[in-house]
Amino acid sequence: MVDSKPNISFQKSNSSNNFINNNNNNNNNNNNNNNNNNNNNNNNNNNNNNNNNNIIVQQPIFQDLKFYLQGDFIQNEQGISEKVTKLIQKHGGKRIFSESDDCIFLFQEFMGEAYETARLFKKPIISITYLYECAKKNSPLDFSLIKEYPIYSDCLKGCVICTSGFNDEIKSNMSTCIEQLCGEFKYTLSTKVTHVITNADTFASKRS
């Protein structure tokens, strides 16, 4: 008697193929994600490099500048002289004890023989007040103005000033004061003028 063998058929499983395909797709997606991450990292590195390239290292505001304090001031104002010296050195400058062609003259007040002599020879002149203002704001000296006239303060910087009711001598004196305070003086009124200084006595006499 012969045993009958059952008929057995084998079929490919679609589920297994789907599983393999899904794994392959997942691997591809992971590879794509890794590539995207790498690209993002490269972009971040490039951005960091660009940011580093854009960083500007600011030098001390008095870097390589030489300042000369005239003799009378040193003798009469020892305490202030020492403070000024420390301030100059703190911001990269150097105080010298004898004048030179490339030094900046420092004065407490814009008066006296030493000041008039320095001005006569067109030396660059600033006041200690202006020096302290620049240090407080961490702002360099404005050499475009210093080359033109002595600078006592920058309190009028940006102001364009005209006068009315004063004679020529007073106008000239006011012009000097305004320029030494970093303002701009105009002899005639225009649209650029920001402030007008008037002579109250002149207007009072006209009204009466």
Side-chain angles (χ1 to χ4, degrees), residues 149-193:
Y149 30 73
I151 299 299
Y152 187 86
S153 170
D154 66 355
C155 61
L156 293 183
K157 193 170 186 177
C159 297
V160 182
I161 300 173
C162 180
T163 62
S164 176
F166 299 97
N167 62 39
D168 291 341
E169 182 181 358
I170 294 177
K171 280 186 177 182
S172 178
N173 292 334
M174 293 178 72
S175 171
T176 299
C177 292
I178 290 168
E179 289 171 345
Q180 290 179 355
L181 298 177
C182 290
E184 184 178 354
F185 183 82
K186 296 290 186 182
Y187 280 90
T188 56
L189 188 64
S190 71
T191 56
K192 294 182 179 180
V193 171

Side-chain angles (χ1 to χ4, degrees), residues 1 3 7-9 15-16 22 39-40 47 51 80 84 89 106 111 119 126-127 133 136 139 147 205-206 208:
M1 185 176 178
D3 293 333
N7 293 326
I8 300 174
S9 61
S15 61
S16 63
N22 288 335
N39 290 333
N40 289 333
N47 289 333
N51 289 334
I80 298 178
V84 169
Q89 293 172 345
L106 269 175
M111 60 179 64
R119 189 176 182 185
I126 67 172
S127 75
E133 288 174 345
K136 185 177 181 179
S139 174
K147 290 178 180 178
S205 62
K206 286 182 178 181
S208 60

